[in-house]
Coordinates of all heavy atoms in Angstrom, one line a residue:
S1 N 85.0 117.6 91.8 CA 83.7 117.4 92.6 C 84.1 117.3 94.1 O 83.4 118.0 95.0 CB 83.0 116.2 92.2 OG 82.5 116.3 90.9
I2 N 85.1 116.5 94.4 CA 85.5 116.4 95.8 C 86.0 117.7 96.4 O 85.7 118.1 97.5 CB 86.6 115.3 95.9 CG1 86.0 113.9 95.6 CG2 87.2 115.3 97.3 CD1 87.0 112.8 95.5
K3 N 86.8 118.4 95.6 CA 87.4 119.7 96.0 C 86.2 120.7 96.2 O 86.3 121.5 97.2 CB 88.4 120.2 95.0 CG 89.7 119.6 95.0 CD 90.6 120.3 94.0 CE 92.1 119.7 94.1 NZ 93.0 120.4 93.1
A4 N 85.2 120.7 95.4 CA 84.1 121.6 95.5 C 83.4 121.4 96.8 O 82.9 122.4 97.4 CB 83.2 121.4 94.3
I5 N 83.2 120.2 97.3 CA 82.5 119.9 98.5 C 83.4 120.4 99.7 O 83.0 121.0 100.7 CB 82.2 118.4 98.7 CG1 81.2 118.1 97.6 CG2 81.6 118.2 100.0 CD1 79.8 118.8 97.6
G6 N 84.7 120.0 99.6 CA 85.6 120.4 100.7 C 85.9 119.3 101.7 O 84.9 118.5 102.0
E7 N 87.1 119.2 102.2 CA 87.5 118.1 103.0 C 86.6 117.9 104.3 O 86.2 116.8 104.7 CB 88.9 118.2 103.5 CG 89.5 117.1 104.3 CD 90.9 117.2 104.6 OE1 91.5 118.3 104.4 OE2 91.5 116.3 105.2
K8 N 86.2 119.1 104.9 CA 85.4 119.1 106.1 C 84.0 118.8 105.9 O 83.2 118.5 106.8 CB 85.6 120.4 106.9 CG 87.0 120.8 107.2 CD 87.7 119.7 108.1 CE 89.1 120.2 108.4 NZ 89.8 119.2 109.3
Q9 N 83.5 119.0 104.6 CA 82.1 118.9 104.4 C 81.7 117.5 103.7 O 80.5 117.3 103.4 CB 81.6 120.0 103.5 CG 81.4 121.4 104.2 CD 82.7 122.0 104.6 OE1 83.7 122.0 103.8 NE2 82.8 122.5 105.9
I10 N 82.7 116.7 103.4 CA 82.4 115.4 102.7 C 81.6 114.6 103.6 O 81.9 114.4 104.8 CB 83.7 114.7 102.4 CG1 84.5 115.5 101.3 CG2 83.4 113.3 101.9 CD1 83.9 115.4 99.9
T11 N 80.5 114.0 103.1 CA 79.6 113.1 103.9 C 79.5 111.7 103.3 O 79.8 111.6 102.1 CB 78.2 113.7 103.9 OG1 77.6 113.7 102.6 CG2 78.1 115.1 104.5
P12 N 79.2 110.7 104.1 CA 79.0 109.4 103.5 C 78.0 109.3 102.4 O 78.2 108.6 101.4 CB 78.6 108.6 104.7 CG 79.2 109.3 105.9 CD 79.1 110.7 105.5
K13 N 76.9 110.1 102.5 CA 75.9 110.2 101.5 C 76.5 110.6 100.2 O 76.2 110.1 99.1 CB 74.8 111.1 101.9 CG 73.6 111.1 101.0 CD 72.5 112.0 101.5 CE 71.3 112.1 100.5 NZ 70.2 112.9 101.0
F14 N 77.3 111.7 100.2 CA 77.9 112.2 99.0 C 78.9 111.2 98.4 O 78.8 110.9 97.2 CB 78.7 113.5 99.3 CG 79.6 113.9 98.1 CD1 79.0 114.6 97.1 CD2 80.9 113.7 98.1 CE1 79.8 115.0 96.0 CE2 81.7 114.1 97.1 CZ 81.2 114.8 96.0
L15 N 79.7 110.5 99.2 CA 80.6 109.5 98.7 C 79.9 108.3 98.1 O 80.3 107.8 97.1 CB 81.5 109.0 99.9 CG 82.5 110.1 100.4 CD1 83.3 109.5 101.6 CD2 83.4 110.6 99.3
D16 N 78.8 107.9 98.7 CA 78.0 106.8 98.1 C 77.4 107.2 96.7 O 77.5 106.4 95.8 CB 76.8 106.5 99.0 CG 77.3 105.7 100.3 OD1 78.4 105.2 100.3 OD2 76.5 105.7 101.3
A17 N 77.0 108.5 96.6 CA 76.4 108.9 95.4 C 77.5 109.0 94.3 O 77.3 108.7 93.1 CB 75.8 110.3 95.6
L18 N 78.7 109.5 94.7 CA 79.8 109.6 93.8 C 80.3 108.2 93.4 O 80.6 108.0 92.2 CB 81.0 110.4 94.5 CG 82.3 110.6 93.6 CD1 82.0 111.2 92.3 CD2 83.3 111.4 94.4
A19 N 80.3 107.3 94.3 CA 80.8 105.9 94.0 C 80.0 105.3 92.9 O 80.5 104.5 92.1 CB 80.8 105.1 95.3
E20 N 78.7 105.6 92.9 CA 77.8 104.9 92.0 C 77.9 105.5 90.5 O 77.4 104.9 89.6 CB 76.3 105.1 92.4 CG 76.0 104.3 93.7 CD 74.6 104.6 94.2 OE1 73.9 105.5 93.6 OE2 74.2 104.0 95.2
K21 N 78.7 106.5 90.4 CA 78.8 107.2 89.0 C 79.7 106.4 88.1 O 79.7 106.6 86.9 CB 79.3 108.6 89.2 CG 78.3 109.5 89.9 CD 77.0 109.6 89.2 CE 76.0 110.5 90.0 NZ 74.7 110.6 89.4
F22 N 80.5 105.5 88.7 CA 81.5 104.8 87.9 C 81.6 103.3 88.3 O 81.3 103.0 89.4 CB 82.9 105.5 88.0 CG 82.9 106.9 87.7 CD1 82.9 107.9 88.7 CD2 83.0 107.4 86.4 CE1 82.9 109.2 88.4 CE2 83.0 108.7 86.1 CZ 82.9 109.6 87.1
S23 N 82.0 102.5 87.3 CA 82.2 101.1 87.6 C 83.5 100.8 88.3 O 84.4 101.7 88.4 CB 82.2 100.3 86.2 OG 83.4 100.7 85.5
A24 N 83.7 99.6 88.8 CA 84.9 99.2 89.5 C 86.1 99.4 88.6 O 87.2 99.9 89.0 CB 84.8 97.8 89.9
V25 N 86.0 99.0 87.3 CA 87.1 99.2 86.4 C 87.4 100.7 86.2 O 88.6 101.1 86.2 CB 86.7 98.6 85.0 CG1 87.8 98.9 84.0 CG2 86.6 97.1 85.1
Q26 N 86.4 101.5 86.1 CA 86.6 103.0 85.9 C 87.3 103.5 87.2 O 88.2 104.4 87.0 CB 85.3 103.7 85.6 CG 84.7 103.4 84.3 CD 83.3 104.0 84.1 OE1 82.5 103.8 84.9 NE2 83.1 104.7 83.0
W27 N 86.9 103.1 88.3 CA 87.5 103.6 89.6 C 89.0 103.3 89.7 O 89.8 104.0 90.1 CB 86.7 103.1 90.8 CG 85.6 103.9 91.2 CD1 84.2 103.6 91.2 CD2 85.6 105.3 91.6 NE1 83.4 104.7 91.5 CE2 84.3 105.7 91.8 CE3 86.6 106.2 91.8 CZ2 83.9 107.0 92.3 CZ3 86.3 107.5 92.3 CH2 85.0 107.9 92.5
Q28 N 89.3 102.1 89.2 CA 90.8 101.7 89.2 C 91.6 102.6 88.3 O 92.7 103.1 88.6 CB 90.9 100.3 88.8 CG 90.4 99.2 89.8 CD 90.9 99.4 91.2 OE1 92.1 99.5 91.4 NE2 90.0 99.4 92.2
K29 N 91.0 103.0 87.1 CA 91.7 103.9 86.2 C 91.8 105.3 86.8 O 92.8 106.0 86.7 CB 90.9 103.9 84.9 CG 91.0 102.7 84.1 CD 90.3 102.8 82.7 CE 90.4 101.5 81.9 NZ 89.6 101.7 80.6
I30 N 90.7 105.7 87.5 CA 90.7 107.0 88.1 C 91.7 107.1 89.2 O 92.5 108.1 89.3 CB 89.3 107.3 88.7 CG1 88.3 107.5 87.6 CG2 89.3 108.5 89.6 CD1 86.8 107.6 88.0
Q31 N 91.8 106.0 90.0 CA 92.8 106.0 91.1 C 94.2 106.1 90.5 O 95.1 106.9 91.1 CB 92.7 104.7 91.9 CG 93.7 104.6 93.0 CD 93.7 103.3 93.8 OE1 92.8 102.5 93.6 NE2 94.8 103.0 94.6
T32 N 94.5 105.4 89.5 CA 95.9 105.4 88.9 C 96.2 106.8 88.3 O 97.2 107.4 88.5 CB 96.0 104.4 87.7 OG1 95.7 103.1 88.3 CG2 97.3 104.4 87.1
D33 N 95.2 107.4 87.7 CA 95.3 108.7 87.0 C 95.5 109.8 88.0 O 96.1 110.8 87.8 CB 94.1 109.0 86.1 CG 94.4 110.1 85.1 OD1 95.6 110.3 84.8 OD2 93.4 110.7 84.6
A34 N 94.9 109.6 89.2 CA 94.8 110.7 90.3 C 96.0 110.6 91.2 O 96.0 111.2 92.3 CB 93.5 110.6 91.0
S35 N 97.0 109.8 90.9 CA 98.1 109.6 91.9 C 98.8 110.9 92.4 O 99.4 110.9 93.5 CB 99.1 108.7 91.2 OG 99.7 109.2 90.1
K36 N 98.7 111.9 91.6 CA 99.4 113.2 92.0 C 98.4 114.2 92.5 O 98.8 115.4 92.7 CB 100.2 113.7 90.8 CG 101.4 112.9 90.4 CD 102.2 113.5 89.2 CE 103.3 112.6 88.8 NZ 104.1 113.2 87.7
A37 N 97.2 113.8 92.8 CA 96.2 114.7 93.3 C 96.6 115.1 94.8 O 97.4 114.4 95.4 CB 94.8 114.1 93.3
T38 N 96.0 116.1 95.3 CA 96.2 116.5 96.7 C 95.9 115.4 97.6 O 95.0 114.6 97.4 CB 95.2 117.7 97.0 OG1 95.4 118.7 96.1 CG2 95.4 118.2 98.4
G39 N 96.8 115.2 98.6 CA 96.7 114.1 99.5 C 95.4 113.6 100.0 O 95.0 112.5 99.8
W40 N 94.6 114.5 100.6 CA 93.3 114.1 101.1 C 92.3 113.7 100.0 O 91.5 112.8 100.2 CB 92.7 115.2 102.0 CG 92.2 116.5 101.3 CD1 93.0 117.6 101.0 CD2 90.9 116.7 100.8 NE1 92.2 118.5 100.4 CE2 91.0 118.0 100.2 CE3 89.7 116.0 100.8 CZ2 89.8 118.6 99.6 CZ3 88.6 116.6 100.2 CH2 88.7 117.9 99.6
V41 N 92.4 114.4 98.9 CA 91.6 114.0 97.7 C 91.9 112.6 97.2 O 91.0 111.8 97.0 CB 91.7 115.0 96.6 CG1 91.0 114.6 95.3 CG2 91.3 116.4 97.0
Y42 N 93.2 112.3 97.1 CA 93.6 111.0 96.6 C 93.2 109.9 97.6 O 92.8 108.8 97.2 CB 95.1 111.0 96.4 CG 95.6 109.6 95.9 CD1 95.4 109.2 94.6 CD2 96.2 108.7 96.8 CE1 95.7 108.0 94.2 CE2 96.6 107.5 96.3 CZ 96.4 107.1 95.0 OH 96.8 105.8 94.6
E43 N 93.3 110.2 98.9 CA 92.9 109.2 99.9 C 91.4 108.8 99.7 O 91.0 107.6 99.9 CB 93.1 109.7 101.3 CG 94.6 109.6 101.7 CD 95.2 108.2 101.5 OE1 94.6 107.3 102.0 OE2 96.3 108.1 100.9
I44 N 90.6 109.8 99.4 CA 89.1 109.5 99.2 C 88.9 108.7 98.0 O 88.2 107.7 97.9 CB 88.4 110.9 99.1 CG1 88.3 111.5 100.5 CG2 86.9 110.6 98.6 CD1 87.6 112.9 100.5
I45 N 89.7 109.1 96.9 CA 89.5 108.3 95.6 C 90.0 106.9 95.8 O 89.4 105.9 95.3 CB 90.4 109.0 94.5 CG1 89.7 110.4 94.2 CG2 90.5 108.1 93.3 CD1 90.5 111.2 93.2
K46 N 91.1 106.7 96.6 CA 91.6 105.3 96.8 C 90.6 104.5 97.6 O 90.3 103.3 97.3 CB 92.9 105.4 97.6 CG 93.6 104.1 97.9 CD 94.9 104.2 98.6 CE 95.6 102.9 98.7 NZ 94.8 101.9 99.5
K47 N 89.9 105.1 98.6 CA 88.9 104.4 99.4 C 87.7 104.0 98.5 O 87.2 102.9 98.6 CB 88.4 105.2 100.5 CG 89.4 105.4 101.6 CD 88.9 106.3 102.7 CE 89.9 106.5 103.8 NZ 89.5 107.4 104.9
L48 N 87.3 104.9 97.6 CA 86.2 104.6 96.7 C 86.5 103.5 95.7 O 85.7 102.7 95.4 CB 85.8 105.9 95.9 CG 85.1 107.0 96.8 CD1 84.9 108.3 96.0 CD2 83.8 106.5 97.4

């Protein structure tokens, strides 16, 4: 989903909507699982 939007087109509104799709526990699992994702994508996931 993040890749589909693109690094330059990511907006706070999109990130807020994405953040609401998963619980805090789920986000921690996603962060761990995404450790080898593309740098900018991982940074967004870490922030979320």
